[in-house]
Amino acid sequence: MIEQRSEVRSMCADMVEVRWRETATGKWRRGTALLEDISPSGACLQLEVAVPVGAELLWECPNHRFAGRVRYCNYRDIGYFAGVQFEAGSGWSSDAYQPQHLLDLKRLVC
């Protein structure tokens, strides 16, 4: 698979409550997701259910609101993995949000 990310993602683990709008019906759904990795422009979430590609997806933490679109959602052994591209102004920074467990791969390499 060709790497399409423009920046390195930090590996992490944190439980987040997400909402997404079904593209076909416009209805909002809720679920709990495991945040797998994150970068200023996107994140990967593991869920128990599939989220439609193109769906609007949101989650909030005390200091920040994440909003984006699902770019892929694939089933892999233990669940569905959804890649989310953040909307402008909704990106991640460590100042705005610190996942419970965070591993910055750039710091390990440098």
Side-chain angles (χ1 to χ4, degrees):
M1 178 182 282
I2 298 173
E3 179 62 49
Q4 297 179 357
R5 296 176 181 159
S6 60
E7 53 204 9
V8 174
R9 291 201 179 175
S10 296
M11 297 176 70
C12 57
D14 204 353
M15 299 299 289
V16 294
E17 294 296 319
V18 298
R19 295 182 298 137
W20 66 92
R21 187 189 317 248
E22 293 281 350
T23 48
T25 65
K27 292 183 180 179
W28 285 95
R29 295 193 56 198
R30 294 180 176 271
T32 301
L34 175 61
L35 181 62
E36 293 280 332
D37 64 45
I38 196 163
S39 76
S41 64
C44 179
L45 300 165
Q46 179 188 342
L47 299 109
E48 292 183 358
V49 297
V51 179
V53 172
E56 178 183 359
L57 188 138
L58 310 167
W59 88 83
E60 296 177 5
C61 60
N63 299 320
H64 195 71
R65 179 178 181 268
F66 293 95
R69 294 266 175 207
V70 175
R71 294 296 176 207
Y72 67 85
C73 186
N74 302 315
Y75 183 80
R76 287 188 252 149
D77 297 326
I78 57 173
Y80 291 92
F81 290 80
V84 178
Q85 181 179 9
F86 296 138
E87 294 175 356
S90 179
W92 173 74
S93 76
S94 58
D95 294 334
Y97 171 65
Q98 281 285 327
Q100 187 172 2
H101 303 283
L102 179 67
L103 176 61
D104 186 347
L105 297 176
K106 286 191 302 188
R107 289 187 179 179
L108 289 178
V109 173
C110 297

